[in-house]
Amino acid sequence: MELAALQNVSFIYGGAEKSALENVSLSIHEGELFLLCGGNGSGKTTLLRLLKPLIAPHGRLTGEILFRGQPVHALSQVDQVSQIGYVGQDPEAQIVTDTVRHELAFGLESLGVLPGEVRRRVAEMASFFGLGPLMDRQNASLSGGQKQLVNLAAVMAQRPALLLLDEPTAQLDPIAAASFLQMVSRISRELSIGMLLSEQRLEEAF
């Protein structure tokens, strides 16, 4: 089943003379993992953010961006948050609570998920991501790699259909980066979601 599609999408930032994206077409299906390649300034982050309207850049967009057959901007805010997950480059930027346990629960609680279901999903993600020993740790005490893994687990707790990863290893050391990409690979193998990964560490990603 097709999850998301870009149809002849072009985008130019306000005041810019050159398009950030030009005539991009792409189709992402359930269970597919795409690696998005390109140098700095080639439009990778722009493309990823356009797929999630809550964080989309401001500018002039032409073409169509669809999610499950409907314009992505027509999605409710709840669906935008829960169905389209996003992890960015900065491990610090997405963390909003004090402990790992609270971080995994925060997004679910914000979506109005019942407490019992929140506890169940938090436990599932702790097990899947191997976060059990860290659950009561202060987020401020975690390494960059651990923080990024927590960010990924918090997003996955919401059970998105589409996961967008914007150079998630950019600020990680090689060991932490390899561990994170291994987890991305496991998600791709075991969970039937679409994934779009922007990554500079191409050898590790492949």
Side-chain angles (χ1 to χ4, degrees):
M1 176 181 176
E2 185 180 75
L3 284 175
L6 285 79
Q7 299 176 352
N8 299 316
V9 169
S10 296
F11 182 82
I12 185 168
Y13 286 91
E17 297 181 358
K18 183 180 178 182
S19 296
L21 298 172
E22 192 165 346
N23 296 323
V24 176
S25 294
L26 175 66
S27 180
I28 304 170
H29 292 76
E30 289 182 353
E32 289 185 330
L33 168 60
F34 279 86
L35 178 61
L36 186 62
C37 303
N40 290 332
S42 62
K44 301 186 301 298
T45 293
T46 300
L47 188 154
L48 289 170
R49 286 181 175 268
L50 286 173
L51 281 162
K52 190 173 175 72
L54 288 172
I55 58 171
H58 296 289
R60 183 165 58 86
L61 172 70
T62 59
E64 280 197 302
I65 301 176
L66 305 175
F67 181 78
R68 287 180 166 161
Q70 65 173 316
V72 71
H73 286 280
L75 294 174
S76 68
Q77 286 198 2
V78 169
D79 283 342
Q80 287 184 34
V81 170
S82 63
Q83 292 300 299
I84 304 174
Y86 180 91
V87 177
Q89 300 177 17
D90 184 357
E92 303 275 356
Q94 287 186 239
I95 289 179
V96 295
T97 66
D98 54 350
T99 69
V100 172
R101 187 182 306 278
H102 291 157
E103 193 67 28
L104 297 189
F106 177 79
L108 298 173
E109 292 169 345
S110 299
L111 292 169
V113 177
L114 295 175
E117 178 67 8
V118 170
R119 289 192 294 272
R120 189 171 71 81
R121 291 201 203 178
V122 167
E124 286 178 351
M125 290 301 101
S127 176
F128 187 89
F129 286 88
L131 296 173
L134 303 178
M135 291 300 283
D136 295 312
R137 284 269 301 273
Q138 293 288 314
N139 289 319
S141 72
L142 302 178
S143 68
Q146 289 170 331
K147 289 175 182 176
Q148 199 67 310
L149 204 59
V150 169
N151 286 329
L152 180 59
V155 167
M156 290 304 300
Q158 298 172 39
R159 296 180 177 170
L162 176 65
L163 178 61
L164 310 172
L165 300 162
D166 183 13
E167 296 190 18
T169 70
Q171 297 188 26
L172 305 185
D173 63 57
I175 293 176
S179 178
F180 186 91
L181 290 174
Q182 286 170 5
M183 184 55 69
V184 169
S185 177
R186 184 183 175 198
I187 292 171
S188 179
R189 291 194 311 270
E190 298 184 17
L191 305 177
S192 295
I193 68 172
M195 302 174 69
L196 188 55
L197 168 66
S198 168
E199 184 55 64
Q200 293 285 357
R201 301 172 191 261
L202 295 183
E203 183 176 349
E204 292 90 339
F206 279 120

